[in-house]
Amino acid sequence: MSEAKPILMDATIGAMLPTRGARGRLTRLGPVLDEILVNHAYPEVLEKLLAEALALTAILGSLLKDPDGQLTMQAQTESGIIDLMVCDYKAGELRGYIKHDPDRLAEAPADPTLFSLFGKGYLAITFDQPANDDRYQGVVPLEGESLAQAAESFFTQSEQIPSIVRLAAHKGEDGWVAGGLMFQHLPEGEEGRDRLHTKLDHPDWPHVAILAGSVKGEELTDRKLGLDQLLWRLFHEEDEVRILPAVDHKKGCRCSRDYIESVIAKFPESERVEMVGDDGFIRVDCAFCATNFPISPESIGN
């Protein structure tokens, strides 16, 4: 029997440690990052931040049980260098963008902290699962020196779930690659619930946190190291490690000319006339894919 190919790129895998009462996710993104970032032309420091944010989004989105579920992560400030960062996940598809002040970014340090980029802000994560009519949003202050620390703070404050998060991103000759790991403690007998409230002092959790926290950034971004191989490297001494099926990822901006035309058509004709620019088109920008759609008024039915 031939050996299974390692899971290397643009995928997230899950893991359960039943005897430790813990679950986790490992993700690595490559080509999908380049597809998302190429049209934005962000400075490299923002590309790195968005790459890590998309890795975190892939991890969190893969927790959704509803195949039509959607996860949105938003980081926002009132007066930071970054005004808004939004990432979105649906059925394995990823998209994201950043709105920022270029002049203030130019004055920032070469390797700015999360606080220097966002200042005083908040992190909101929304889980939307229409099959169960279940929509949940957690909002916490944006705290920590990194996005990974901010995510840990989110789960501690909003969910009371002991969690460890590690994120890394690197740009090389082959383009961007980002990786992420998240492990969480589950209460006994409650494997697989979406949101869990549990004690913060479970005796097995420090052991899991030490092993998961030993992962290195270069391991998360190693294009040749399979995600399943990395899980084995971290937890091979455990009594049981269950590896869950992989979720594949791709760029998934859901804008399209047909959709935009259908939205514009809902406006009264008098308002559509006011939308027409000097060039005779109604122009609509998609922040997620940095694409401008010139819509001819004649293409929209009355």
Side-chain angles (χ1 to χ4, degrees):
M1 181 181 295
S2 61
E3 185 176 349
K5 292 183 178 180
I7 302 167
L8 296 172
M9 198 69 64
D10 289 346
T12 297
I13 63 172
M16 299 291 297
L17 305 177
T19 61
R20 299 291 185 181
R23 70 174 178 183
R25 290 291 190 275
L26 262 176
T27 193
R28 186 178 297 124
L29 306 176
V32 68
L33 289 178
D34 294 324
E35 288 185 57
I36 293 172
L37 294 171
V38 65
N39 288 341
H40 291 287
Y42 294 134
E44 187 166 321
V45 64
L46 296 189
E47 288 189 327
K48 182 177 185 294
L49 176 64
L50 187 55
E52 290 185 354
L54 288 164
L56 178 60
T57 302
I59 288 173
L60 299 179
S62 70
L63 295 173
L64 293 167
K65 295 182 181 297
D66 184 351
D68 294 321
Q70 182 173 344
L71 177 135
T72 303
M73 183 174 70
Q74 179 173 303
Q76 188 169 355
T77 69
E78 295 181 359
S79 57
I81 294 173
I82 294 176
D83 297 315
L84 179 67
M85 181 176 71
V86 182
C87 293
D88 179 272
Y89 172 104
K90 187 173 184 180
E93 296 182 344
L94 296 167
R95 60 180 183 169
Y97 74 93
I98 291 175
K99 181 181 178 183
H100 73 289
D101 185 330
D103 294 332
R104 292 186 61 188
L105 180 62
E107 298 173 355
D111 187 20
T113 63
L114 193 71
F115 181 79
S116 65
L117 287 172
F118 285 98
K120 185 177 180 180
Y122 68 84
L123 178 67
I125 301 178
T126 304
F127 296 84
D128 193 350
Q129 303 194 86
N132 301 322
D133 195 23
D134 182 16
R135 189 174 192 272
Y136 169 81
Q137 183 181 68
V139 182
V140 299
L142 190 60
E143 297 176 339
E145 292 298 309
S146 66
L147 186 60
Q149 289 183 13
E152 290 180 355
S153 177
F154 172 88
F155 283 105
T156 298
Q157 296 184 45
S158 178
E159 300 285 290
Q160 289 88 55
I161 304 177
S163 304
I164 185 165
V165 180
R166 295 289 184 268
L167 299 169
H170 170 73
K171 187 177 184 180
E173 295 181 357
D174 296 326
W176 277 101
V177 58
L181 170 149
M182 181 177 77
F183 267 81
Q184 299 177 313
H185 168 61
L186 305 179
E188 293 181 9
E190 297 198 30
E191 292 184 7
R193 285 179 54 192
D194 291 330
R195 295 186 297 277
L196 299 161
H197 298 270
T198 184
K199 295 186 299 182
L200 300 179
D201 58 352
H202 191 284
D204 280 331
W205 175 245
H207 174 83
V208 174
I210 289 172
L211 294 181
S214 70
V215 71
K216 298 178 176 61
E218 53 265 31
E219 291 177 311
L220 292 173
T221 59
D222 186 346
R223 293 174 180 269
K224 297 181 180 179
L225 177 62
L227 295 175
D228 44 350
Q229 295 169 332
L230 179 52
L231 270 176
W232 174 251
R233 180 181 292 184
L234 294 171
F235 298 106
H236 64 277
E237 293 185 355
E238 294 302 300
D239 293 335
E240 182 181 2
V241 180
R242 300 179 191 170
I243 297 181
L244 308 179
V247 177
D248 295 324
H249 300 301
K250 61 181 179 180
K251 177 185 175 182
C253 194
R254 295 183 286 279
C255 66
S256 69
R257 184 175 298 276
D258 289 343
Y259 173 74
I260 292 171
E261 288 182 352
S262 70
V263 172
I264 295 175
K266 296 178 182 178
F267 287 86
E269 184 177 3
S270 59
E271 294 185 23
R272 298 203 302 265
V273 170
E274 295 179 359
M275 297 178 188
V276 179
D278 294 338
D279 59 358
F281 291 94
I282 300 172
R283 293 192 170 271
V284 179
D285 293 318
C286 175
F288 281 106
C289 63
T291 301
N292 178 272
F293 292 87
I295 307 298
S296 171
E298 291 76 18
S299 66
I300 302 173
N302 293 320

